[in-house]
Amino acid sequence: MTTNESTIATTTRRALGSTGPAVFPLGLGCMGMSALYGTADRAESIATIHAYLEAAPAGTSTLLDTGDFYGMGHNELLINEALRTAPTAAREQALTSVKFGALRTVEGGFTGYDGRPEAVRNFLAYSLQRLGRDHIDIYRIARVDPAVPIEETVGAIAEAVEAGHVRHIGLSEVGADTLRRAAAVAPIADLQIEYSLISRGIEAEILPTARELGIGVTAYGVLSRGLISGHFTRERELGAGDFRGMSPRFQGDNLDRNLDLVDALRKVAEGKGVSVAQTAIAWVLSRGEDIVPLVGARSRERLAEALGAMEISLSAADLAAIEEAVPAGAAAGDRYPAAQMAHLDSER
């Protein structure tokens, strides 16, 4: 989709690549309901999942994204409860996208990733039990294990597909070369990777490669962890356990510079009579029908705001104004602390 023609933000479904399922244009990222953003309200989290499932038209698959290491399994158990208590029709249309491989400590630290075939089978067995399902719809390693060729990891997931325990193979935060190597082993439905107005690194090589190979993109961080939502302020104090307290983009002068970008974006949003968050989400939706943004709403209020982005039409003039307010490469600070950036195959 180009920026020199009028664009409508979305249709009722988007396909996850040439081999994956067609899903509702917005996926729900569930991580924040269990970890990394401070305390969450369990009842509100489940109500938010229910509201998301019921927002899709009848017969349209929804996409719940999680990781087996989100809250040490807490998030999968939360999704299990939400699905068990959801209306039958909504539950039957829900698809699960699960990341695995992260190694954790009792204190919650990350110590690396395990992509060995035997580890894939082990992680999968536990996830199926926690989710209460006989299969996972899309399964992916969260980060490439540098000690294990991606061919071996993907091959193990392909065996799970053959056995009926997994429906589709996904990848997460991999570069173009790894994407090609993985796709040579088995069909890849989608690549999950950060993509937003202030994280546009995939546009140079990764996104064109995915499109060449017929691989869809599930874009996380579309609001940059709330930074460009329009709700984050310079005065906000982050609680203990909130990942953003260590994120370079939320620190000191970086935060000031990034919120200046948000202020510029706010003027564009106000000119259209919509919110900053809706504008940022609609921009990601406008980048192509092969991109499904994941919104990390933790409340029904934030979910309703995010869903409103699908009703926004962006003209060529609107897109130009948005990108003038937030130019490519304008963000201050890396998207992760240095130690975590080192795990990103997509940044090499």
Side-chain angles (χ1 to χ4, degrees):
M1 189 173 294
T2 62
T3 57
N4 60 0
E5 58 187 19
S6 179
T7 61
I8 303 295
T10 190
T11 56
T12 56
R13 295 177 180 83
R14 291 189 169 193
L16 294 183
S18 59
T19 63
V23 298
F24 193 53
L26 289 181
L28 183 63
C30 300
M31 180 186 75
M33 298 176 181
S34 297
L36 300 179
Y37 291 116
T39 304
D41 183 318
R42 186 181 188 86
E44 181 62 22
S45 295
I46 290 173
T48 300
I49 293 174
H50 288 170
Y52 167 71
L53 298 178
E54 295 178 40
T60 300
S61 295
T62 48
L63 186 66
L64 297 173
D65 183 78
T66 185
D68 63 10
F69 50 94
Y70 292 166
M72 316 300 203
H74 178 279
N75 204 237
E76 290 177 320
L77 292 169
L78 182 77
I79 290 173
N80 181 334
E81 182 178 351
L83 290 176
R84 283 190 290 105
T85 55
T88 301
R91 178 173 64 251
E92 291 177 347
Q93 292 302 318
L95 305 184
T96 53
S97 170
V98 179
K99 289 177 290 297
F100 70 89
L103 303 176
R104 306 291 302 271
T105 66
V106 172
E107 295 75 23
F110 288 86
T111 60
Y113 296 88
D114 193 344
R116 295 172 301 144
E118 56 267 42
V120 174
R121 292 186 283 270
N122 178 77
F123 288 127
L124 176 59
Y126 279 95
S127 284
L128 289 171
Q129 178 68 26
R130 285 188 291 259
L131 288 166
R133 300 200 131 195
D134 64 3
H135 72 275
I136 289 170
D137 295 284
I138 309 169
Y139 201 50
R140 72 188 85 238
I141 191 165
R143 300 287 187 268
V144 174
D145 180 349
V148 178
I150 193 64
E151 291 86 352
E152 293 185 17
T153 303
V154 169
I157 305 174
E159 290 176 2
V161 173
E162 287 289 325
H165 303 312
V166 171
R167 294 284 168 81
H168 303 280
I169 304 171
L171 293 168
S172 177
E173 286 290 352
V174 304
D177 178 65
T178 302
L179 202 58
R180 291 186 187 280
R181 289 168 51 201
V185 174
I188 306 297
D190 72 318
L191 167 64
Q192 188 172 122
I193 196 163
E194 186 164 354
Y195 187 41
S196 72
L197 272 168
I198 64 171
S199 294
R200 297 178 61 176
I202 71 170
E203 293 177 345
E205 185 178 10
I206 295 173
L207 182 55
T209 301
R211 287 175 167 162
E212 175 194 334
L213 297 171
I215 297 171
V217 169
T218 41
Y220 75 89
V222 294
L223 296 179
S224 300
R225 301 161 184 82
L227 181 59
I228 60 172
S229 67
H231 302 297
F232 202 93
T233 67
R234 290 171 172 82
E235 295 75 29
R236 182 170 176 176
E237 293 186 6
L238 297 172
D242 193 318
F243 159 82
R244 292 170 294 188
M246 299 181 294
S247 173
R249 289 185 174 174
F250 287 83
Q251 306 301 312
D253 291 342
N254 287 348
L255 178 62
D256 287 336
R257 289 165 59 191
N258 291 329
L259 290 181
D260 284 344
L261 297 175
V262 176
D263 289 340
L265 184 62
R266 193 185 311 276
K267 294 177 182 177
V268 179
E270 289 175 347
K272 287 189 66 65
V274 299
S275 74
V276 174
Q278 289 170 333
T279 304
I281 295 168
W283 180 86
V284 177
L285 283 164
S286 79
R287 307 319 291 170
E289 294 291 327
D290 54 350
I291 297 175
V292 174
L294 300 173
V295 294
R298 299 201 297 167
S299 69
R300 285 166 287 181
E301 179 183 6
R302 291 289 182 257
L303 174 66
E305 180 182 27
L307 292 172
M310 296 192 298
E311 306 302 321
I312 298 174
S313 297
L314 295 177
S315 67
D318 291 331
L319 290 168
I322 290 169
E323 295 188 20
E324 181 179 358
V326 187
D334 287 333
R335 53 196 181 100
Y336 286 104
Q340 294 185 37
M341 289 292 289
H343 288 293
L344 298 178
D345 181 76
S346 55
E347 295 288 336
R348 294 184 183 131

